[in-house]
Amino acid sequence: MTTDHRLALSSPLDLRAVQVQDSYWSSYVNLIRETVIPYQWEAMNDRIESAEPSHVIRNFRIAAGLEEGSFGGFVFQDTDMYKWLEAVGYSLAATPDADLERIADEAIKLIASAQQEDGYLNTYFSIAEPSARWSNLMDCHEMYTAGHLIEAAVAYYQGTGKSTLLNVAIRLADHIDTHFGDEPGKLRGYDGHQEIELALVKLYEITGEERYVKLASFFIDERGQQPNYLVEEWEKRGRITYWTPGVVQREHQDLRYLQAHKPVREQEVATGHAVRAVYMYTAMADLALHLGDASLLAACQRLWSNVVNKQMYVTGSIGSTHHGEAFTFDYDLPNDTNYSETCASIGLIFFARRMLQLEPNGEYGDVMERALYNTVTAALAGDGQSFFYVNPLEVWPAASRGNPGKHHIKSIRQQWFACACCPPNISRLLSSLGQYIFTSSSDVLYTHLYIGTETTLTLAGRQVSLKLESGLPWNGQVRLHVATAAGTGEFTIAMRLPAWSQQTSFTLNGSPVEPEIRQGFAYLTRDWQEGDVITLEFDMEPKRIYAHPNVRANAGRVALQRGPLVYCFEEMDNGAALPNLILPADAEIRLVHNGNSVALHAEGYRQADVDSENTSLYRTSPLKLEKQSIYAVPYTQWGNRKPGEMLVWIRE
């Protein structure tokens, strides 16, 4: 495996060396392994009653010649299988499971049997349009699909040591490399949906084959160049798209939607389809890491700043419109119509982890934590068998049913989706959680997420075993134990200071200590010995969060946060018509312990009709204020009880 990280200050730890043992997060990891992965396998085999059919397994069987039939599902349907296998690979790395591995091996055998002789693999084109390969990169997601296969292959190889799927991925990558590039006779194209770029970097990391990182760099650098390849391709097709066959279009797809409107190094504002954008930014950061490319790093920094400072929701979600699942413009963050696709927050976490490798800045960890603790986990039901695709900050079920502009807003999680990108994306992220907690250099361990973990690594040439204990998200005490430390010599432990903790105290072996603070990290350097313990106490007082004044949707409103958790108000606790609730600016916010959770309680008001017999839509008499107790629960837990309204930003 190559370790060429020319700009990297740190790298993630080997997943096999990180064991998550956390009172909060272990339940999620176990839920993925024990329930979600098996459930998704059943869904891909179309065995979930009343759920949208997947078609995935059947498509592969048809492509492999094992049965007859026509292709079913979206043109990128294969990716459901690949993301599932990636999650399985991560899960097996942490917890071997012979039965699961046997099922996955059979799935891999099926995939390999569907691969064509020249290395090409895509069941849609093999079944439905074998003569149309690589002719519609704008619409048909061929390289996006290939990228997810490559990611799955790398994860499965790392988790099991088995190379069958990796060999399939190498053959497919080599096929793509023979067709695309800036050499004479090759196509100077790139996919409409980014993914292949970051996948090729992973393949390079595992094989050391420099052609793959060169090809990834080509796809990034070629994007947005003039003349625009995607537009020329569209013209050659007679201005017809895959999505509207036979219809000649007057105008091509908005290139901003594809992040192909200008070269990536010149882009300053996040635009277009949110998932495509953050996948591309992740790949850009990857290439900055491996190639020592300072201009790509600068572009990543600009785009990061725009996303998190002007286009991100308080829950760490992105993509404010359902029209194209996309960014709109700075500060346009509506609460009741936003899209905030689960996959987009997962992509933002990918991007944040790469930026942490490039520069240890606590802001990247803050955003990673915000998206993980709120949006990503909110998308998964407590039973692991239903999911949110869209993550709004305000829900009125009647509007979801009656307003076409809000049909995408759901108050109940769904069992499965025709376009099921989000459930397996959740699985692959949470199965690989150990890769996001720490990164390390030769002599520095960076702690980014406070999740109970045991790990072993080498620091300053010493074999070191560490145990991280965390009370988050319910209490703010964190301990990092040095369980073993061979030899002698100084190394550094750097702990992220969460932005939500206004006061953080440190002790070393029971005595107060003042670490060096730089860019949101606390640094302690010493000749660490077995038995040393760092203890952190975070400020867990509930905080009132106010939006920038340019965020019109939140004018006069406040949100509540405690630790990493953003809170919301549900109809079940507060009654209907939640926008009529008012939380006074001076109201005391008290904690309510409910089993393993913490709710928030305050005394507030409800705006009510002064004359219930007056049926006029508008009136001159003001509404009255009635006292009401107000309860807030963690946003990540919403929708797990009785369906109803939900609200994050409350009137103050």
Side-chain angles (χ1 to χ4, degrees):
M1 179 188 299
T2 181
T3 56
D4 178 19
H5 286 66
R6 299 180 195 177
L7 270 182
L9 294 181
S10 63
S11 302
L13 307 189
D14 187 329
L15 189 58
R16 292 166 295 184
V18 182
Q19 294 296 317
V20 174
Q21 298 178 356
D22 185 83
S23 59
Y24 183 77
W25 284 102
S26 287
S27 62
Y28 282 104
V29 174
N30 293 337
L31 183 67
I32 295 296
R33 185 181 69 252
E34 297 169 2
T35 301
V36 180
I37 286 176
Y39 179 86
Q40 292 175 358
W41 175 250
E42 293 300 298
M44 291 191 298
N45 281 279
D46 300 325
R47 295 195 288 251
I48 304 295
E49 291 186 14
S50 74
E52 292 270 9
S54 168
H55 307 286
V56 172
I57 299 296
R58 187 168 182 270
N59 286 340
F60 276 102
R61 288 184 58 81
I62 295 169
L66 300 177
E67 65 178 85
E68 296 184 353
S70 57
F71 179 88
F74 285 95
V75 68
F76 47 83
Q77 207 73 11
D78 296 359
T79 60
D80 290 1
M81 171 80 93
Y82 300 150
K83 283 185 278 188
W84 179 82
L85 277 169
E86 185 181 351
V88 170
Y90 296 138
S91 182
L92 293 174
T95 307
D97 182 328
D99 290 337
L100 178 59
E101 188 170 342
R102 175 184 52 78
I103 293 170
D105 286 345
E106 287 298 314
I108 290 168
K109 182 178 178 181
L110 177 61
I111 291 168
S113 67
Q115 187 168 32
Q116 298 188 10
E117 191 171 327
D118 63 353
Y120 184 84
L121 179 55
N122 185 297
T123 66
Y124 171 79
F125 285 96
S126 294
I127 297 169
E129 292 191 83
S131 63
R133 302 188 321 187
W134 308 126
S135 64
N136 187 347
L137 299 183
M138 182 182 287
D139 300 330
C140 288
H141 294 55
E142 280 172 277
M143 282 191 271
Y144 165 82
T145 303
H148 278 301
L149 168 61
I150 293 169
E151 286 200 88
V154 170
Y156 201 76
Y157 174 75
Q158 291 176 320
T160 68
K162 294 181 177 179
S163 59
T164 300
L165 190 61
L166 183 63
N167 291 334
V168 170
I170 288 171
R171 289 184 62 209
L172 178 55
D174 290 347
H175 170 88
I176 295 170
D177 187 44
T178 62
H179 284 76
F180 293 90
D182 53 11
E183 297 90 348
K186 290 187 177 182
L187 300 173
R188 297 194 65 132
Y190 46 88
D191 204 87
H193 194 312
Q194 299 90 321
E195 158 65 18
I196 186 70
E197 301 88 350
L198 66 91
L200 285 168
V201 173
K202 287 188 175 183
L203 189 60
Y204 160 69
E205 289 174 344
I206 205 74
T207 64
E209 177 53 68
E210 293 189 0
R211 285 186 298 112
Y212 300 140
V213 77
K214 179 182 177 184
L215 184 59
S217 182
F218 163 78
F219 287 138
I220 286 294
D221 286 335
E222 194 68 17
R223 194 170 208 90
Q225 298 293 340
Q226 300 300 325
N228 192 286
Y229 181 88
L230 298 181
V231 175
E232 291 184 326
E233 181 190 67
W234 172 74
E235 293 280 5
K236 290 178 182 177
R237 289 195 311 272
R239 299 190 169 193
I240 294 173
T241 76
Y242 168 82
W243 304 106
T244 55
V247 178
V248 177
Q249 296 177 316
R250 297 176 62 183
E251 296 182 354
H252 58 73
Q253 171 76 61
D254 185 347
L255 295 177
R256 292 174 300 176
Y257 175 77
L258 309 170
Q259 297 82 40
H261 55 298
K262 61 171 67 173
V264 299
R265 297 164 195 270
E266 299 174 16
Q267 296 183 25
E268 297 180 344
V269 175
T271 185
H273 189 272
V275 177
R276 302 179 197 223
V278 287
Y279 280 14
M280 182 179 80
Y281 305 158
T282 299
M284 291 164 61
D286 272 335
L287 291 168
L289 284 169
H290 284 287
L291 302 179
D293 193 323
S295 65
L296 267 183
L297 173 58
C300 288
Q301 291 167 330
R302 289 195 307 271
L303 292 163
W304 172 273
S305 179
N306 177 256
V307 170
V308 303
N309 293 316
K310 297 182 179 180
Q311 298 203 69
M312 183 184 72
Y313 284 90
V314 69
T315 53
S317 66
I318 52 176
S320 56
T321 178
H322 72 283
H323 295 286
E325 307 171 335
F327 295 105
T328 54
F329 59 94
D330 292 353
Y331 303 113
D332 179 44
L333 295 168
N335 297 309
D336 60 344
T337 59
N338 62 304
Y339 205 74
S340 294
E341 184 179 345
T342 304
C343 288
S345 285
I346 291 171
L348 183 60
I349 289 170
F350 295 162
F351 184 27
R353 212 282 310 280
R354 270 62 165 200
M355 294 303 288
L356 280 166
Q357 291 178 244
L358 283 159
E359 48 179 348
N361 186 325
E363 180 181 79
Y364 302 127
D366 288 340
V367 170
M368 184 165 68
E369 179 184 68
R370 183 175 294 277
L372 180 64
Y373 274 88
N374 297 288
T375 299
V376 173
T377 46
L380 177 64
D383 65 1
Q385 297 185 8
S386 57
F387 312 87
F388 280 138
Y389 195 108
V390 174
N391 296 278
L393 277 72
E394 183 174 340
V395 176
W396 181 15
S400 298
R401 295 188 297 269
N403 183 342
K406 296 183 179 180
H407 280 182
H408 60 291
I409 302 295
K410 308 295 182 185
S411 60
I412 300 174
R413 293 171 180 84
Q414 295 176 246
Q415 289 182 298
W416 200 247
F417 307 91
C419 176
C421 53
C422 294
N425 234 353
I426 297 170
S427 294
R428 69 180 184 136
L429 174 66
L430 295 184
S431 294
S432 61
L433 191 59
Q435 293 184 336
Y436 297 85
I437 299 170
F438 304 107
T439 60
S440 70
S441 66
S442 62
D443 60 354
V444 182
L445 175 73
Y446 297 94
T447 305
H448 306 301
L449 296 174
Y450 293 101
I451 295 174
T453 312
E454 291 186 2
T455 188
T456 300
L457 73 161
T458 300
L459 290 167
R462 303 171 63 188
Q463 189 80 0
V464 179
S465 296
L466 301 168
K467 182 177 181 180
L468 178 63
E469 295 177 336
S470 172
L472 293 180
W474 309 123
N475 75 71
Q477 188 172 87
V478 170
R479 291 189 182 92
L480 183 62
H481 302 256
V482 179
T484 63
T488 59
E490 290 189 345
F491 60 85
T492 300
I493 295 177
M495 314 284 281
R496 180 177 61 89
L497 298 175
W500 47 260
S501 178
Q502 295 180 352
Q503 292 184 332
T504 302
S505 64
F506 300 85
T507 62
L508 176 61
N509 300 331
S511 299
V513 64
E514 293 187 9
E516 179 185 359
I517 307 297
R518 298 198 309 270
Q519 289 190 294
F521 279 87
Y523 292 82
L524 287 168
T525 301
R526 64 189 260 118
D527 183 359
W528 296 93
Q529 298 298 315
E530 180 177 330
D532 284 344
V533 180
I534 308 170
T535 301
L536 289 74
E537 286 281 354
F538 294 128
D539 174 10
M540 294 291 288
E541 284 299 307
K543 304 294 190 299
R544 294 170 182 261
I545 307 298
Y546 299 92
H548 190 285
N550 288 347
V551 182
R552 299 186 178 206
N554 296 331
R557 294 188 177 195
V558 64
L560 299 180
Q561 181 172 339
R562 179 176 181 266
L565 296 179
V566 174
Y567 279 68
C568 70
F569 307 88
E570 288 194 273
E571 180 180 345
M572 183 173 180
D573 302 311
N574 302 285
L578 294 176
N580 286 324
L581 296 179
I582 297 173
L583 178 65
D586 59 355
E588 179 186 0
I589 300 171
R590 297 186 294 275
L591 306 185
V592 179
H593 294 272
N594 295 324
N596 293 325
S597 181
V598 175
L600 303 179
H601 168 250
E603 295 299 331
Y605 298 95
R606 174 179 290 277
Q607 202 168 36
D609 200 336
V610 70
D611 183 1
S612 60
E613 295 183 1
N614 184 348
T615 60
S616 299
L617 182 59
Y618 305 105
R619 67 282 307 274
T620 57
S621 56
L623 301 179
K624 64 179 179 180
L625 294 181
E626 296 178 343
K627 289 185 178 181
Q628 178 172 331
S629 292
I630 299 174
Y631 292 88
V633 298
Y635 176 84
T636 185
Q637 296 176 351
W638 91 271
N640 280 295
R641 300 178 292 170
K642 183 179 179 180
E645 295 183 38
M646 183 275 291
L647 182 74
V648 169
W649 291 92
I650 190 171
R651 294 168 63 190
E652 184 177 73

